[in-house]
Amino acid sequence: MAPLKYLEQEYPILDSNFQNFCATHGIFSEEDLLLHDLHVLVAFAEQQSTSERLKQGITQVLSIIDGQHQPWLNGMELLEDAQLNKHVLSTGCEGIDLLLEGGLRMGQLTELVGASSSGKTQVCLLATSNVAKKHMGGVVYLDTGNSFSPQRVIDFIRQNSDPAIDQAKHRILQKVMNRILCHSVFDIFTMFDVLHQLEVNLRSQMQKGDCQVRLLIVDSISSLVTPILGGGGSQGHALMASAGFLLKKLAHEHNLVVLVTNHTVGGEGGISKPALGESWKSIPHVRLRLSHDQGSSIYNVSVFKHPSMVSGKAARFTIYD
Amino acid sequence: MEEVVASPREWIDRNESAKTMLARVLTARPLLLLPPLHRVPLRVGNVVELVGTSPSAKTHILIQAAVSCVLPKEWNGVHYGGLDRLVMFIDLDCRFDILRLSKMLKHRINGESNGSLKKIDQEHMDFDLWNNDTKKSPTYDEELYSLCMRRFLFIRCYDSFQFLATLKTLNYRIRKEQELHGISVHILMIDSIGAFHWIDRASTFMPLGATNRKTPSLQTVSETVVQEIRKLLLLHPMLVIATKATIFGDRYSMETKRNLGKLDTSNSRSMSSTSLQLPYREYMPSVWQMILSFEPMTVIARSIFQNGCSHHRVLWINL
């Protein structure tokens, strides 16, 4: 947020007289204006000799503030945006798609919770291959544990393809794999860097046809956040909340599906519960719990939380090797 | 206008009787009977807080109240019983799903026009959230639907500064919308008020040069929010409903589960507010707690399995 003196160029009414007046009340930047009672400021302005000009300045500043929040929309406009832009992307896994009534919804943050080797990364890789191939969208994969496997993605792509001509296959495969971008991130600050860069790229890049990013995966977000939680300070929770907001903002503004994975920790009575604590619970839109039957390739998925579904709904699916 | 009191007797004489005063107050600030909050004596100018863990059906309650507010009292001969007013929704959680509102509105419109009212259980003060009634009515009033959808005004904020900017310019916005629609705003919904709590709490700003400069912190932001809401309520009397998610739930969750186990759906009369202790740690600063008109209302959602399919029921306990 800009200090007041930089606004003078664009809005000449905020001249040095106005800035001095504001300085006497401890207002030097737009942030200070937001924390100050503007009616009180107007009352003080009345007492000055240049009151008219000062009041005009305050009105100007108020209209600048009006441009600093998102636009107000009514229900019909929201609905149109949801119907036009926020489609559902199938994950490539019938069980999950059936449970989620179509698949992962764009504009929403979906969380996969599960113990280790419960299939979270498998589902992520499956979704990656499906989005890159069937929906022809770009995928950005943030890998925190070196679990991204291009070979596995190729296996998934090959599984569902029709027996087509071999020559074309290689080119198609290359095209599909080119849509997937994998970043290795090992701490939360690197993740913020990558996400901010992604935001800049998405904002500047208009319709690029084939390669518009559709899916953002963070596998796993808990390994980035858990080291900084705890210790009594609130910085860890603040970073976690900021990460949540950034992911949701990316999902909504750029119509992405955002998928994150989380592990489980022991709770009361030996029942495992999702990691990252109570504050994280209200951040994702949809929370799914994955579990794996030992020794088989059958996975169970159930709904923890969903905006329009009762929690507890479950389904089974298989991932073949 | 100077009025010289002629005699001390005149000064002691009453201005109006209690009856006339009551009549005046009740018409000036009528009770808002908003299902699902129709049991709470809500008035325009009140600030209400709904507290619950996530997921409990807090946003659902807000959506239901919004539907009741935007529907007109009567339309094309069908009685809807709504308040016929605008609703403003500030989404701080950034999780609002417009399709839920749309579905609920359609369901309400269909339900009324088909003459079948959704049954609200009076005894338990709970109701079916997810009505599994999927039979679609062939025609519903499209015009009414789009009119009501346009009465729902929505904004989302990604940080405290955006929230403050929204509140500061809300006065002008409300005036503009009232001119546009011709009806006033009755409810301001904030979902959820504690969304930026951790971020604000951790924001440590360096002490800035001038001594009278306010540094953005949890305290200053909350004070400004409360101040703006108070000023807003003076200019535009409306009901403010805020939801809040519990943050420190872990220690008390076992306690909660044990107490909930005692609740018997068939034995509603034994349920009293004293038998249920549902502690959650209050984390909002005291300036916010002081603006509330009632104690925060706890929302608990429980899944109950009935006839093989699960229904989601909500119980509130006013602490």
Side-chain angles (χ1 to χ4, degrees), chain B residues 116-167:
Chain B
S116 58
L117 279 170
K118 197 164 70 169
K119 181 163 176 255
I120 297 177
D121 195 322
Q122 298 294 325
E123 285 295 313
H124 306 267
M125 211 167 71
D126 61 12
F127 46 90
D128 283 338
L129 282 188
W130 320 117
N131 201 312
N132 296 325
D133 189 339
T134 50
K135 62 174 190 277
K136 286 196 183 88
S137 175
T139 51
Y140 64 94
D141 207 327
E142 184 78 44
E143 202 189 324
L144 177 63
Y145 171 73
S146 71
L147 174 75
C148 290
M149 284 297 271
R150 268 182 275 117
R151 284 182 182 174
F152 180 80
L153 305 162
F154 177 87
I155 194 174
R156 54 170 60 195
C157 300
Y158 292 113
D159 58 52
S160 285
F161 291 120
Q162 287 192 7
F163 183 36
L164 285 174
T166 310
L167 287 177

Side-chain angles (χ1 to χ4, degrees), chain B residues 79-244:
Chain B
H79 175 79
Y80 292 101
L83 296 175
D84 205 14
R85 294 278 189 276
L86 300 174
V87 169
M88 300 193 100
F89 192 104
I90 305 181
D91 188 10
L92 301 182
D93 249 356
C94 308
R95 271 191 299 138
F96 187 74
D97 192 1
I98 188 68
L99 296 173
R100 278 179 74 190
L101 176 73
S102 158
K103 269 189 215 158
M104 208 180 295
L105 183 61
K106 282 188 189 165
H107 190 262
R108 243 324 255 283
I109 295 177
N110 281 347
E112 302 293 348
S113 56
N114 286 346
S116 58
L117 279 170
K118 197 164 70 169
K119 181 163 176 255
I120 297 177
D121 195 322
Q122 298 294 325
E123 285 295 313
H124 306 267
M125 211 167 71
D126 61 12
F127 46 90
D128 283 338
L129 282 188
W130 320 117
N131 201 312
N132 296 325
D133 189 339
T134 50
K135 62 174 190 277
K136 286 196 183 88
S137 175
T139 51
Y140 64 94
D141 207 327
E142 184 78 44
E143 202 189 324
L144 177 63
Y145 171 73
S146 71
L147 174 75
C148 290
M149 284 297 271
R150 268 182 275 117
R151 284 182 182 174
F152 180 80
L153 305 162
F154 177 87
I155 194 174
R156 54 170 60 195
C157 300
Y158 292 113
D159 58 52
S160 285
F161 291 120
Q162 287 192 7
F163 183 36
L164 285 174
T166 310
L167 287 177
K168 283 211 184 296
T169 51
L170 200 52
N171 177 23
Y172 296 103
R173 192 79 217 186
I174 290 179
R175 271 199 258 149
K176 207 168 120 183
E177 296 292 340
Q178 283 179 176
E179 266 170 53
L180 187 66
H181 286 93
I183 42 176
S184 59
V185 177
H186 237 54
I187 316 184
L188 174 68
M189 299 180 170
I190 305 176
D191 182 24
S192 67
I193 191 78
F196 306 123
H197 173 83
W198 287 114
I199 300 176
D200 288 337
R201 205 164 121 173
S203 64
T204 46
F205 282 72
M206 298 291 286
L208 307 155
T211 46
N212 57 350
R213 203 172 171 186
K214 281 192 195 169
T215 53
S217 68
L218 184 63
Q219 190 60 31
T220 51
V221 168
S222 310
E223 278 170 3
T224 318
V225 166
V226 169
Q227 193 183 65
E228 293 298 327
I229 293 181
R230 261 196 235 271
K231 280 196 291 180
L232 209 61
L233 288 177
L234 284 176
L235 293 168
H236 303 279
M238 50 189 177
L239 175 64
V240 178
I241 313 180
T243 61
K244 190 177 83 180

Side-chain angles (χ1 to χ4, degrees), chain A residues 24 32 34-37 39 62 69-70 73-75 79 245 248 253 278-279 282 305 307 310, chain B residues 92-93 95 100 130 145 149 152 154-156 158 168-170 172 198 202 212-214 231 247 250:
Chain A
T24 56
D32 298 327
L34 286 175
L35 292 171
H36 209 100
D37 189 341
H39 287 101
L62 210 61
H69 56 73
Q70 306 290 316
L73 298 168
N74 66 37
L79 194 66
F245 274 110
K248 283 192 277 194
E253 313 258 306
E278 193 77 19
S279 338
S282 47
K305 180 173 89 160
V310 186
Chain B
L92 301 182
D93 249 356
R95 271 191 299 138
R100 278 179 74 190
W130 320 117
Y145 171 73
M149 284 297 271
F152 180 80
F154 177 87
I155 194 174
R156 54 170 60 195
Y158 292 113
K168 283 211 184 296
T169 51
L170 200 52
Y172 296 103
W198 287 114
N212 57 350
R213 203 172 171 186
K214 281 192 195 169
K231 280 196 291 180
I247 286 186
D250 292 13

